[in-house]
Amino acid sequence: MPFEKGSLVLVDYTAKVKDTNEVFETTREEEAKKTDLYDPTRKYEPRLVSVGEAWVLKGLDEALAKANVGDKLNVEVTPDKGFGERDPNKVRMIPQRKLGDKADEVQVGDVVELDDRTGIIRYIGSGRLQVDFNHRLAGKTLIYDVNVTKKLESDNDKVTALIKRRIPIEDEKVKFKLTGDSLEVELPEETYMAEGLQIIKRAVANDVFKFVTAVKNLKFVESYSAPKPAEKKEDKPAEAKAEAK
């Protein structure tokens, strides 16, 4: 039976550009190691998706809505259901000096931030830059090789996955207590200085209230431990000091 809208599912996938076979995203470590995408600090595992709610590209979302657990899908995503068509109006010529101190360092292919937009340098010459503000995959047809691995049914599974979606931590560091309509989440100490932590916690709360409807109250707990006292080095007896001389 196909998934209902809002079902939380785990999907394992590799995404490629159809024309070039370039892998641009994968949840599989072995696949990542074959490309320059590999990040040894990242944990590769199936991705959490809420079906039909635009957590992934429209073309993939539509395919997942018709899928079942255990299905292996080969999904072709056309530009209109992917990153859109290329817009020539988003390719601009700008003075090179607009990049400030980095103006003489940039090269064709570099990604730059200008006027709160991200663009790719396509041409440099005569003190000017051609910057393409289209998404780099705009106009491309994409191929997703997908395994639908699991549908989350229990509240505990949902809470664990929703926390990890916003806070990338190991499974064993996800600690919470669900009692009746109250959820208490204990954050690991290494997350306390994360940028935008308050926004992240609000997002986790919103996700939990939406997908775990039994929860009406959520509390985040932060625990700090006193540093261990430094061990004192024992002084050598006077006789030993004398012998050393």
Side-chain angles (χ1 to χ4, degrees), residues 80-111:
D80 59 310
K81 294 184 178 180
F83 291 99
E85 299 288 355
R86 284 186 56 77
D87 180 355
N89 293 321
K90 290 184 178 180
V91 180
R92 309 288 298 277
M93 293 295 292
I94 64 166
Q96 192 166 347
R97 65 177 182 275
K98 194 167 183 180
L99 294 181
D101 295 341
K102 297 182 179 179
D104 296 327
E105 301 173 12
V106 295
Q107 299 177 357
V108 172
D110 285 354
V111 176

Side-chain angles (χ1 to χ4, degrees), residues 153-220:
E153 302 283 6
S154 75
D155 286 349
N156 280 358
D157 281 351
K158 291 178 182 180
V159 170
T160 299
L162 292 169
I163 292 172
K164 288 179 61 182
R165 179 181 181 231
R166 304 287 186 177
I167 307 173
I169 54 178
E170 300 293 329
D171 287 7
E172 61 271 16
K173 293 184 178 180
V174 179
K175 297 181 180 178
F176 61 87
K177 183 165 60 178
L178 181 55
T179 309
D181 64 357
S182 296
L183 176 66
E184 184 174 284
V185 177
E186 183 177 345
L187 297 177
E189 193 166 345
E190 67 260 30
T191 66
Y192 297 170
M193 300 302 291
E195 186 177 348
L197 182 59
Q198 295 306 316
I199 295 172
I200 292 170
K201 289 195 291 188
R202 181 72 254 182
V204 171
N206 289 341
D207 287 347
V208 169
F209 292 143
K210 179 174 181 177
F211 294 103
V212 188
T213 53
V215 175
K216 304 301 180 189
N217 301 287
L218 189 155
K219 179 191 296 184
F220 288 97

Side-chain angles (χ1 to χ4, degrees), residues 63-80:
L64 290 175
K66 302 171 187 175
N68 294 286
V69 173
D71 283 357
K72 297 182 185 298
L73 311 174
N74 193 265
V75 184
E76 183 169 305
V77 178
T78 50
D80 59 310

Side-chain angles (χ1 to χ4, degrees), residues 19 78-80 83-86 135-142:
D19 292 341
T78 50
D80 59 310
F83 291 99
E85 299 288 355
R86 284 186 56 77
H135 189 283
R136 76 177 191 89
L137 296 173
K140 306 285 187 183
T141 295
L142 315 171

Side-chain angles (χ1 to χ4, degrees), residues 107-158:
Q107 299 177 357
V108 172
D110 285 354
V111 176
V112 294
E113 294 281 342
L114 283 169
D115 303 326
D116 297 323
R117 294 192 297 169
T118 301
I120 301 172
I121 297 175
R122 300 295 187 194
Y123 169 81
I124 301 175
S126 304
R128 305 186 79 198
L129 305 173
Q130 185 188 69
V131 183
D132 186 351
F133 291 104
N134 285 285
H135 189 283
R136 76 177 191 89
L137 296 173
K140 306 285 187 183
T141 295
L142 315 171
I143 302 292
Y144 279 80
D145 169 32
V146 184
N147 293 344
V148 184
T149 61
K150 185 178 182 179
K151 179 183 178 183
L152 304 186
E153 302 283 6
S154 75
D155 286 349
N156 280 358
D157 281 351
K158 291 178 182 180

